[in-house]
């Protein structure tokens, strides 16, 4: 992007936000934007791998000694691993729409799954005229009729595994086989490949080989099925400590199994010359934090939105760990710049190449669904956060709660401060400034056939364009 390394885009000033504007202005002192002509592409091709519902602390290179992920560890240690990377929303469709558009959910208009992306929202491949683009996705949440497919030359979607009460999906092995065939068929040309893998999203049903490695000896009803999960979400007594440990072992076994399947594919892709590769997740998963058990959607604490992230393949992303605060929204600008697509001045997405300062981390929840207003932005009354290196402010409008956390002593944000910190006013102003961008979105119409399918799965609620419930 046409910006001095380390300089954030200057925020759009709004009346009543002077304190926050001043704070950001001080942080950005001396960072005047440069406007040279568009640079030549840094790479010929790019690869984006998104692994659904993958916590940042649940693999070897992420700091979990009990999770065996030798392939993923190898690739994370071979590039710049961002240990403080965050998604802006804990739901699949909205998160990917942000990565591919460089726009916050309130700007691209998709609050969660089941809401079609408007046709006038530009996506990354739209700015890459000389690059072949392919997407291979593994979840019904990314159905091509929901808007992401229109930007890709090839959008491969087939989800043979039906799940009562949740989204249909496709196994990683099947998705990767199709992606590999497409990648090889475009050899010798510039390519952008996005692969989305569903595992380790619930229901938890790991391969017996991996399940045996992490077996806890538990023999009760907590089998990882949607039937058990729905019952447990309603009745916490169904999850005593041994059952909770067993469920986590199933989640971990799915991650380990995915590593085994994806490893050879990554080895082939990353052997390509002149390639920028990105591996990340759309969101995390609460495993009991804040009493949210094996679920995502209602909260935006680190368990829910901190994600693994590594970039590798160019001189700007050398091997090492960076604790700089970054966001998955920044992948749009980073990939766009690397592929020579120029800059999208309508976004807050920041090119991560060249290092730089911490970025202000925002996120909004996608649940509960019963607090969505009849008009305006669907996430207006859902939990939201502004996170800095030192502090965070978490606002939960539907509970009328606002909580501050000291991230220096409580990085997982488990214990709210008894009194507001010195930065409270600036944090509150910054969060309100960001939230004010949600000017309201018309509820897009959805394909009638898809509406019926989502209703049959119980995957949508009565307030979404798709109707039904979850």
């Amino acid at each position: 992007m046409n910006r001095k390394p380390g300089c954030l885009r200057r925020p759009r000033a709004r009346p009543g936000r002077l304190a926050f504007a001043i704070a950001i202005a001080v942080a950005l002192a001396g960072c005047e934007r440069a406007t040279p002509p568009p640079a030549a592409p840094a790479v010929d091709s790019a690869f984006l791998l998104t692994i659904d519902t993958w916590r940042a602390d649940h693999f070897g290179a992420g700091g979990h000694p009990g999770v065996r992920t030798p392939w993923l560890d190898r690739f994370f240690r071979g590039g710049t691993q961002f240990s403080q990377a965050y998604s802006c929303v804990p739901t699949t469709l909205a998160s990917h729409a942000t990565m591919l558009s460089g726009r916050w959910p309130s700007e691209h208009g998709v609050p969660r799954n089941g809401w079609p992306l408007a046709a006038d929202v530009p996506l990354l491949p739209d700015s890459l005229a000389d690059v072949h683009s392919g997407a291979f996705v593994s979840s019904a949440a990314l159905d091509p009729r929901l808007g992401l497919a229109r930007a890709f030359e090839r959008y491969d979607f087939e989800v043979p595994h039906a799940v009562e009460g949740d989204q249909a999906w496709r196994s990683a092995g099947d998705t990767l086989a199709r992606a590999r065939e497409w990648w090889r068929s475009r050899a010798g040309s510039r390519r952008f490949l996005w692969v989305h893998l569903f595992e380790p999203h619930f229901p938890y049903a790991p391969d017996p080989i991996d399940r045996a490695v992490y077996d806890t000896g538990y023999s009760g009803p907590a089998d990882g099925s949607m039937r058990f999960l729905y019952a447990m979400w309603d009745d916490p007594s169904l999850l005593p400590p041994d059952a909770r440990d067993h469920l986590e072992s199933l989640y971990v076994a799915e991650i380990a199994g995915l590593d085994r399947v994806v490893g050879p594919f990554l080895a082939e892709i990353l052997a390509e010359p002149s390639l920028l590769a990105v591996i990340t997740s759309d969101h995390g998963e609460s495993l009991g934090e804040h009493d949210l058990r094996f679920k995502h959607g209602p909260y935006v604490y680190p368990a829910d939105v901190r994600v693994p992230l590594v970039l590798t393949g160019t001189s700007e992303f050398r091997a090492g760990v960076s604790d700089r605060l970054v966001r998955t929204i920044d992948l749009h600008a980073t990939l766009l710049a690397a592929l020579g697509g120029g800059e999208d001045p309508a976004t807050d997405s920041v090119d991560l190449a060249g290092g730089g300062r911490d970025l202000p981390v925002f996120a909004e929840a996608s649940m509960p669904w019963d607090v969505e207003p009849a008009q305006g932005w669907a996430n207006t009354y859902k939990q939201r956060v502004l996170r800095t290196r030192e502090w965070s402010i978490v606002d939960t409008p539907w509970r009328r709660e606002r909580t501050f956390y000291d991230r220096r002593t409580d990085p997982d944000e488990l214990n709210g401060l008894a009194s507001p910190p010195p930065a409270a006013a600036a944090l509150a102003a910054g969060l309100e400034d960001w939230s004010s961008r949600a000017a309201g979105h018309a509820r897009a119409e959805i394909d009638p056939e898809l509406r019926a399918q989502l209703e049959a799965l119980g995957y949508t609620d009565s307030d979404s364009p798709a109707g039904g419930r979850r």
Side-chain angles (χ1 to χ4, degrees):
M1 298 186 67
N2 301 327
R3 183 178 299 115
K4 288 184 180 180
C7 296
L8 310 184
R9 183 186 305 281
R10 292 187 183 277
R12 295 179 282 249
R14 290 178 173 82
R17 308 303 177 205
L18 183 58
F20 184 66
I22 291 173
I24 294 296
V26 171
L28 297 179
C31 288
E32 294 301 325
R33 289 185 60 191
T35 55
V43 295
D44 290 335
S45 299
F47 169 59
L48 170 64
L49 173 64
T50 57
I51 297 174
D52 212 304
T53 322
W54 184 25
R55 283 176 61 121
D57 58 0
H58 270 58
F59 68 115
H64 197 308
V67 186
R68 302 178 186 179
T69 49
W71 284 101
L72 288 168
D73 292 349
R74 172 187 171 189
F75 298 122
F76 268 75
R77 289 170 178 149
T80 299
Q81 178 180 348
F82 291 94
S83 63
Q84 292 294 318
Y86 293 85
S87 169
C88 65
V89 61
T91 193
T92 298
L93 179 61
S95 178
H96 284 99
T98 290
M99 289 187 228
L100 293 171
S101 72
R103 287 155 172 80
W104 302 108
S106 62
E107 294 173 329
H108 60 59
V110 178
R112 55 177 171 80
N113 295 340
W115 290 63
L117 180 72
D120 61 353
V121 177
L123 297 171
L124 178 64
D126 294 327
S127 300
L128 304 174
D130 64 337
V131 178
H132 292 290
S133 59
F136 295 79
V137 302
S138 306
S139 164
L142 300 173
D143 189 292
R145 289 166 289 183
L146 292 170
L148 297 183
R150 58 176 163 77
F152 288 87
E153 172 188 309
R154 167 82 178 274
Y155 193 92
D156 191 276
F157 171 84
E158 184 177 306
V159 284
H161 300 291
V163 178
E164 184 178 358
D166 204 74
Q167 61 201 275
W169 62 285
R170 174 169 62 185
S171 70
D174 290 344
T175 298
L176 292 169
R178 291 175 179 240
R180 179 184 284 110
E181 180 181 3
W182 179 87
W183 181 261
R184 291 174 175 174
S185 73
R186 298 295 187 273
S189 61
R190 303 189 70 210
R191 294 161 285 179
F192 169 56
L193 171 62
W194 166 38
V195 174
H196 162 266
L197 302 179
F198 185 72
E199 301 96 328
H201 192 288
F202 54 65
Y204 307 121
D207 187 291
I209 295 174
D210 305 299
R211 181 170 182 157
V213 173
Y214 297 95
D215 185 18
T216 65
Y218 173 85
S219 60
D223 58 1
S225 67
M226 293 309 303
R227 177 175 297 182
F228 174 80
L229 291 171
Y230 273 112
M232 178 268 295
W233 291 333
D234 290 336
D235 182 1
S237 70
L238 296 177
L239 199 68
D242 58 341
R244 185 245 169 255
D245 292 345
H246 172 67
L247 275 189
E248 184 172 0
S249 77
L250 297 180
Y251 174 73
V252 165
E254 289 217 346
I255 296 170
L258 181 67
D259 177 83
R260 181 165 43 80
V261 173
V262 78
F265 178 86
L266 290 175
E268 176 179 339
I269 297 292
L270 297 184
E272 290 277 339
S274 192
L275 172 83
L276 175 63
V278 182
I279 303 176
T280 189
S281 179
D282 52 355
H283 55 76
E285 182 85 315
S286 283
L287 302 180
E289 295 89 349
H290 297 277
D291 294 323
L292 189 64
R293 301 167 298 281
F294 296 87
K295 195 174 185 180
H296 52 271
Y299 297 150
V300 288
Y301 300 108
D304 309 276
V305 293
R306 189 166 77 92
V307 294
L309 175 61
V310 64
L311 290 95
T312 185
T314 69
S315 59
E316 291 88 355
F317 300 112
R318 298 184 177 90
V321 178
S322 170
D323 66 352
R324 176 189 178 201
L325 268 65
V326 299
R327 305 84 52 96
T328 55
I329 191 175
D330 301 315
L331 296 179
H332 177 268
T334 305
L335 289 164
L336 193 63
L339 290 168
E343 178 180 359
D344 184 348
T347 78
D348 287 342
S349 184
V350 174
D351 184 2
L352 297 177
R357 303 174 187 271
D358 287 334
L359 300 172
V361 171
F362 297 99
E364 61 185 63
S366 55
M367 295 175 69
W369 298 348
D370 59 3
V371 302
E372 293 183 4
Q375 302 293 330
W377 180 232
N379 289 349
T380 297
Y381 303 118
K382 297 175 186 175
Q383 191 177 80
R384 53 193 178 169
V385 64
L386 167 55
R387 190 169 280 119
T388 69
R389 179 170 294 275
E390 295 83 10
W391 313 100
S392 65
I393 175 174
V394 177
D395 186 29
T396 312
W398 55 275
R399 286 182 176 173
R400 298 183 179 180
E401 294 178 355
R402 177 169 286 182
T403 308
F404 295 92
Y405 295 88
D406 185 341
R407 288 176 41 78
R408 298 165 298 182
T409 59
D410 182 19
D412 294 325
E413 299 173 14
L414 300 175
N415 302 293
L417 296 173
S419 58
L427 289 166
L431 184 58
E432 288 304 317
D433 177 76
W434 180 75
S435 301
S436 69
R437 301 182 184 204
H441 295 269
R443 301 197 172 206
E445 292 299 321
I446 196 169
D447 179 272
E449 181 182 352
L450 180 58
R451 178 199 299 268
Q453 292 173 1
L454 294 174
E455 287 178 348
L457 289 172
Y459 191 56
T460 60
D461 73 299
S462 59
D463 289 329
S464 80
R469 63 170 181 81
R470 181 174 183 179

